[in-house]
Amino acid sequence: MAAYRKERLYLFYSVKIGYIIRVKNNDWNGDTMQMYALTLKGITILPGMVIHFDIDDNGAIEAVNNAIRSDGRIFCISRKNLDAENLSMEDLYKTGTIVNVRQLTKLPNGYGRVLVEGVKRARLIGMNMEDGHLVSCEIEECEEDDGRICDDPATETAVYRLMVQKLSQYIEFFPKIGASLNARIQNNMNHRDALYRVIMNLPLTFDKKQRILDATTTGEQYEILIEILSDEVEVAAIQKKLAQDIKERVEKNQKDYILREQLAYIRKELNGENEESDAEAMTRKTRELEASDEIKARILKEIKRFEHNPENGSESSVQRNYIETLLEMPWDHSSEDDLDIDNASKVLESNHYGMEKVKERILEFLAVRLMTGKGHSPILCLVGPPGTGKTSIAKSIASALNKEYIRICLGGVRDEAEIRGHRRTYVGAMPGRIAAGLRSAGTNNPLMLLDEIDKVSNDYRGDTFSALLEVLDPDQNKHFRDHYIELPLDLSQVLFLATANDVSTIPRPLLDRMEVIEVSGYTENEKFHIAKEHLIRKQFADHGITTGILNITDGALRDIIKYYTREAGVRELERKIGEICRKCAKEYIMAGDKGEKQGKISVKNSNLNVYLGKRKYSSLMANKKDEVGICRGLAWTSVGGETLQIEVSKMPGKGEIELTGQMGDVMKESACIALSYVRSVGDKYKIDADDFNRYDIHLHIPEGAVPKDGPSAGITMATAILSELTGRKVRAKVAMTGEITLRGKVLPIGGLKEKLLAARTAGIKKVLVPEDNQKDVEEISEEIIQDMEIVYVNSMDKVLEEALTDGN
């Protein structure tokens, strides 16, 4: 059954019917036949289309009735000019459609409703008018092709698929049309019939349908249809976007209006309390913020975005936290530094004993700031053993300079995000420790302590050391970017202070960015002064003890340092003083409970063991007499200096050397070098060459449970080996340190201050030091080297001359 479509685009009015029409047709061989004609306003009928329209002229209704009683055919043609009063050929299209009249229905208002079906296209040749109405016309049927788009099958398939593709795009915008159209187009349908089916089911204007009707071939009709569909798809897409934008705009305006009205009502009900919204408060704080216009513009943009988010949504809370973080950052807010050098010096001296290099560097920084009015803050790295006051001096420096103090412990940090922060796309994102430190300080020029920087770790989450490169580079940290903040942070005004125990674990590029200051271990005298001036006072305050309750004598204090602690710093010393305070507090309280007289408690050398127990350490003192094959060396450890007693013994064997005492690879190599040197100078010291083959040499360093390594015991081992092989004794009051070469040269070593401290503690009177270390000795406090002879050596000949006795 042909497709049926109801179409009423305009108010139709009837036209005069022409009764005699000459039809030129090849099949009819020029014969004439009677056919009625109608001009249509706003309607184009295509072959195969079923449509009804209304007519309001009684004559036209009668003519349609006559057509039904005859062959039922009428020629319908559309008007070009819809408003023309007197029709002419120019007012009508050239191509119309011969239709079959299926039904005529009379309506109550006197109109007639005609149902027709398009049959064949026909072309208007001529027409006769009378009183402005069509009386008769001459038409000829249009020759139709075979329904193929073109002769080339591939091209025909391509054009048809293109039409189907455009039709599918059109249907996406009008799905209701597609539901009926897909069922009406069959795969085996003639291409021309399929085209007419598509046209009949699309809501196209009559002029676009007329273009299809005017086309002479199926190929031309497909070209026109594809063009029409392309235009319709483009227009539909624009319409949809415009409609969506308008809808969203209207909905947003309505929503904002309703919310503002509700907010105003709530505020009114609260009697004016809390009249300022969160967004308004944030905006006010932004205006008051000490920051650049760029920073403020970014924060205001984030506030605007926050206003548009649902208040209870997760995105709103994330946005709120971010804005609050930005508002709390000290962008351009600085604290005023105290540039009084005399006051800074007094503060540093009152809080710390010693550490002269650190104090001097801070005072130099202040002097430069006073001279220039500006200057980059130094980036210092304090390197030394634990407990030497590296961390506490940072707080004293902050106090002396009137800076905010921020401590960031980097021990065990292995995630780069700890330094640079997490990106906001992650759940629970937060700023890095640097940005968080600035936020906590409230100023952009605090003192920031990077504690235990040598303990930083790395794993698959990133290289933390690399993240610190930008932080500690004076030329780069002016625009440091935290991943969470996403805005440049100026770190150039921050006074960075790092602490480390061992610089060997710090990468060279990072170490190069810092000014390294070595903090050596304390001497016994320095520990005594630190304890007497600082530690005792602190522990008394912590335990509620006054000087009227407890007194620790100087002798007892020195014995605590000498026999109960073994460290470079003073942490263990402070713990021992605290232990005495606890025991004395208990003793004092128990005496009061028993009604006994609470006298002043005095801790002396004689009763020190009552409070601290037996002595834990005994100093390895110098030997009382000269001996063969025993030589005293000096070593550096992380907790200070030590003396090493190296023992050598020869025994019948095959000339092999055995090393014991848990030596490291470097120390074992030094022992081999020492033996090779002794063999090379055997003739000079009257050593029988066969002895090296007849005897095995056993070299041992006591305290075998303690690992030992390094080259600085080289001259000590060579001296002990030569002493054993020659039988010459080594002077008991002599100690030495230095690296040896195969040619007997003595090379410089490190940790000299700690080694000399150990020698002084052991009662050594003469110390052999490499000549190249003379500059290091000159920097050591006179307190350490007084009453001690320092001999500078550059060869083993000088070492042996000073260390060995003349005879047996």
Side-chain angles (χ1 to χ4, degrees):
M1 181 176 179
Y4 169 76
R5 175 180 172 82
K6 179 178 179 181
E7 183 169 346
R8 188 189 298 231
L9 302 178
Y10 298 90
L11 175 62
F12 302 112
Y13 45 91
S14 62
V15 297
K16 202 76 173 180
I17 304 298
Y19 294 99
I20 299 180
I21 301 176
R22 292 190 299 275
V23 179
K24 291 184 178 181
N25 186 280
N26 294 336
D27 296 334
W28 294 344
N29 298 320
D31 293 337
T32 61
M33 61 176 294
Q34 285 187 334
M35 183 177 294
Y36 301 96
L38 290 176
T39 60
L40 305 179
K41 190 174 182 180
I43 297 178
T44 297
I45 301 175
L46 299 174
M49 179 184 293
V50 176
I51 188 173
H52 65 73
F53 52 88
D54 296 345
I55 54 177
D56 60 356
D57 186 81
N58 292 331
I61 295 173
E62 182 179 356
V64 174
N65 278 324
N66 292 333
I68 293 174
R69 285 193 290 269
S70 61
D71 62 354
R73 292 191 173 191
I74 295 178
F75 176 68
C76 295
I77 190 167
S78 301
R79 293 188 181 193
K80 285 183 183 178
N81 189 353
L82 302 179
D83 299 325
E85 294 292 336
N86 298 317
L87 291 176
S88 64
M89 286 284 290
E90 287 74 19
D91 295 325
L92 300 176
Y93 285 101
K94 301 302 182 184
T95 307
T97 305
I98 299 173
V99 303
N100 282 330
V101 180
R102 288 189 171 186
Q103 185 180 18
L104 174 62
T105 304
K106 289 185 178 182
L107 301 177
N109 56 6
Y111 287 7
R113 178 164 293 172
V114 184
L115 179 64
V116 300
E117 178 183 5
V119 177
K120 191 174 182 64
R121 295 187 307 129
R123 190 173 295 107
L124 179 64
I125 304 299
M127 58 183 290
N128 295 321
M129 304 296 298
E130 185 178 300
D131 298 331
H133 296 284
L134 178 63
V135 176
S136 64
C137 61
E138 183 180 0
I139 64 173
E140 65 175 354
E141 291 185 351
C142 297
E143 296 182 2
E144 303 288 359
D145 55 20
D146 57 359
R148 298 178 60 189
I149 299 175
C150 62
D151 295 334
D152 182 22
T155 305
E156 181 179 35
T157 302
V159 173
Y160 184 75
R161 289 181 179 177
L162 180 60
M163 185 276 293
V164 173
Q165 178 186 358
K166 294 295 181 182
L167 180 62
S168 300
Q169 295 175 358
Y170 182 86
I171 290 173
E172 289 180 2
F173 294 101
F174 306 99
K176 292 183 179 180
I177 296 174
S180 61
L181 185 58
N182 289 332
R184 297 177 185 274
I185 300 179
Q186 302 173 4
N187 293 331
N188 58 355
M189 183 180 291
N190 181 280
H191 286 164
R192 183 173 60 247
D193 294 339
L195 178 136
Y196 286 149
R197 291 286 179 89
V198 171
I199 297 296
M200 286 186 286
N201 284 274
L202 296 181
L204 303 177
T205 57
F206 79 98
D207 55 334
K208 293 180 179 178
K209 293 180 180 179
Q210 187 65 44
R211 289 181 61 193
I212 301 292
L213 193 64
D214 289 340
T216 57
T217 65
T218 304
E220 292 179 9
Q221 290 177 331
Y222 265 86
E223 290 179 6
I224 296 172
L225 177 59
I226 291 172
E227 179 185 346
I228 292 173
L229 287 174
S230 298
D231 293 342
E232 291 294 327
V233 167
E234 185 175 354
V235 172
I238 296 174
Q239 287 178 336
K240 182 177 180 181
K241 185 178 184 302
L242 289 175
Q244 183 68 23
D245 292 344
I246 293 173
K247 179 181 178 183
E248 291 178 355
R249 192 177 300 116
V250 171
E251 289 179 350
K252 178 183 178 299
N253 293 337
Q254 290 176 345
K255 177 182 176 182
D256 291 347
Y257 173 77
I258 293 172
L259 291 176
R260 289 192 186 98
E261 290 298 318
Q262 290 176 344
L263 186 59
Y265 177 78
I266 292 171
R267 289 175 179 171
K268 183 178 179 181
E269 290 296 319
L270 292 174
N271 298 323
E273 296 180 7
N274 194 24
E275 293 185 359
E276 192 177 43
S277 66
D278 290 341
E280 291 171 347
M282 292 175 181
T283 303
R284 175 179 54 78
K285 292 179 181 179
T286 303
R287 307 290 185 197
E288 300 171 354
L289 191 65
E290 295 183 44
S292 64
D293 294 338
E294 177 189 357
I295 301 296
K296 291 183 178 180
R298 173 62 182 276
I299 298 176
L300 291 174
K301 181 179 178 181
E302 295 294 335
I303 293 173
K304 187 175 181 181
R305 186 180 301 171
F306 168 75
E307 286 183 292
H308 297 160
N309 288 332
E311 185 174 354
N312 296 326
S314 58
E315 182 66 24
S316 178
S317 62
V318 172
Q319 197 73 14
R320 180 194 298 273
N321 292 337
Y322 178 60
I323 295 172
E324 290 177 349
T325 300
L326 294 182
L327 291 175
E328 292 174 3
M329 294 300 297
W331 300 103
D332 293 337
H333 178 66
S334 304
S335 62
E336 186 176 353
D337 292 346
D338 186 353
L339 302 180
D340 187 343
I341 291 185
D342 292 335
N343 178 66
S345 179
K346 290 178 182 178
V347 172
L348 294 175
E349 290 294 341
S350 64
N351 292 341
H352 284 78
Y353 185 88
M355 305 187 77
E356 300 302 331
K357 288 185 179 180
V358 182
K359 296 175 184 177
E360 183 180 359
R361 183 63 183 89
I362 297 303
L363 297 179
E364 290 173 356
F365 160 68
L366 286 179
V368 173
R369 180 67 64 88
L370 284 171
M371 293 287 289
T372 63
K374 57 182 181 179
H376 289 292
S377 298
I379 300 176
L380 307 179
C381 181
L382 307 183
V383 180
T388 52
K390 299 184 297 299
T391 302
S392 60
I393 190 74
K395 185 174 289 188
S396 297
I397 293 172
S399 176
L401 301 181
N402 192 32
K403 286 180 175 289
E404 294 293 330
Y405 172 72
I406 301 298
R407 178 177 176 268
I408 300 175
C409 185
L410 298 178
V413 173
R414 62 181 62 196
D415 189 354
E416 178 193 0
E418 293 282 348
I419 305 299
R420 289 188 174 274
H422 303 81
R423 299 191 184 276
R424 285 194 294 146
T425 52
Y426 296 107
V427 177
M430 62 182 65
R433 296 197 181 192
I434 303 298
L438 285 178
R439 177 184 180 184
S440 175
T443 64
N444 65 355
N445 61 337
L447 184 147
M448 192 169 290
L449 176 66
L450 304 180
D451 208 8
E452 308 292 352
I453 195 172
D454 58 327
K455 308 298 190 304
V456 172
S457 304
N458 297 322
D459 65 3
Y460 65 93
R461 285 171 287 191
D463 186 354
T464 311
F465 277 124
S466 298
L468 288 170
L469 290 176
E470 183 182 4
V471 175
L472 299 179
D473 192 327
D475 297 327
Q476 298 181 30
N477 63 10
K478 187 175 180 63
H479 301 287
F480 173 73
R481 280 189 177 270
D482 184 274
H483 289 160
Y484 182 83
I485 302 294
E486 294 181 343
L487 289 170
L489 294 174
D490 185 4
L491 303 181
S492 61
Q493 300 301 317
V494 178
L495 175 57
F496 285 105
L497 209 63
T499 67
N501 299 126
D502 185 9
V503 296
S504 64
T505 61
I506 303 176
R508 186 65 190 177
L510 181 60
L511 192 63
D512 186 59
R513 285 165 166 77
M514 299 184 291
E515 183 179 342
V516 178
I517 299 178
E518 292 189 6
V519 180
S520 304
Y522 296 118
T523 65
E524 285 188 10
N525 189 52
E526 288 174 333
K527 290 180 182 180
F528 173 78
H529 286 292
I530 292 171
K532 192 170 184 64
E533 297 173 13
H534 301 284
L535 301 184
I536 291 180
R537 185 166 62 242
K538 179 183 176 183
Q539 289 300 317
F540 276 19
D542 291 345
H543 293 83
I545 294 177
T546 64
T547 54
I549 298 176
L550 174 64
N551 175 52
I552 302 178
T553 65
D554 292 351
L557 194 56
R558 292 186 183 279
D559 280 0
I560 295 173
I561 296 170
K562 190 172 184 180
Y563 299 115
Y564 291 91
T565 64
R566 182 66 58 86
E567 58 179 344
V570 292
R571 283 203 182 105
E572 184 65 20
L573 175 59
E574 184 176 8
R575 282 192 286 267
K576 293 300 180 183
I577 296 174
E579 184 178 348
I580 293 174
C581 291
R582 291 193 300 273
K583 293 183 182 297
C584 290
K586 174 187 173 184
E587 181 179 336
Y588 185 81
I589 294 299
M590 292 182 68
D593 291 342
K594 294 178 180 179
E596 299 176 359
K597 183 179 180 181
Q598 296 173 315
K600 185 175 183 179
I601 301 173
S602 180
V603 178
K604 308 175 183 178
N605 305 57
S606 57
N607 64 351
L608 187 60
N609 62 326
V610 175
Y611 299 96
L612 297 181
K614 295 181 179 180
R615 295 178 177 180
K616 295 178 61 177
Y617 304 101
S618 59
S619 298
L620 185 59
M621 302 302 293
N623 296 335
K624 295 182 179 180
K625 61 178 182 178
D626 302 342
E627 296 184 65
V628 175
I630 298 178
C631 188
R632 184 63 60 93
L634 303 175
W636 177 92
T637 69
S638 60
V639 295
E642 292 283 353
T643 61
L644 294 178
Q645 181 166 290
I646 296 179
E647 301 175 349
V648 174
S649 178
K650 67 177 182 180
M651 60 205 78
K654 300 179 180 179
E656 298 178 354
I657 182 171
E658 185 174 355
L659 306 174
T660 57
Q662 202 173 156
M663 301 184 205
D665 292 338
V666 176
M667 183 170 275
K668 289 179 180 179
E669 291 176 357
S670 294
C672 294
I673 294 172
L675 179 59
S676 298
Y677 167 75
V678 172
R679 295 183 69 171
S680 67
V681 296
D683 293 341
K684 180 178 179 181
Y685 291 95
K686 299 179 181 180
I687 301 174
D688 189 349
D690 293 335
D691 288 352
F692 294 105
N693 297 321
R694 292 199 306 264
Y695 297 102
D696 288 343
I697 297 177
H698 186 169
L699 190 150
H700 174 68
I701 303 177
E703 298 185 12
V706 180
K708 309 169 190 68
D709 205 357
S712 62
I715 63 173
T716 312
M717 291 187 283
T719 303
I721 293 173
L722 194 142
S723 169
E724 178 67 17
L725 293 176
T726 60
R728 295 174 63 181
K729 296 180 180 179
V730 181
R731 293 186 173 94
K733 300 296 182 180
V734 173
M736 62 191 71
T737 179
E739 181 179 354
I740 187 176
T741 68
L742 284 173
R743 301 293 182 180
K745 298 294 183 182
V746 180
L747 302 182
I749 43 79
L752 190 58
K753 178 182 177 181
E754 288 79 3
K755 293 178 179 179
L756 292 178
L757 275 172
R760 179 179 179 83
T761 303
I764 301 296
K765 298 301 182 181
K766 180 188 288 188
V767 179
L768 308 184
V769 176
E771 190 175 62
D772 291 340
N773 284 112
Q774 184 173 354
K775 60 183 183 301
D776 300 318
V777 176
E778 293 173 355
E779 295 180 0
I780 297 175
S781 171
E782 182 65 27
E783 177 188 349
I784 298 175
I785 60 176
Q786 67 179 356
D787 300 329
M788 185 185 298
E789 181 184 358
I790 306 296
V791 179
Y792 301 105
V793 295
N794 58 11
S795 66
M796 278 301 300
D797 291 338
K798 181 67 173 177
V799 172
L800 296 174
E801 178 184 339
E802 295 289 339
L804 298 180
T805 60
D806 294 334
N808 296 337

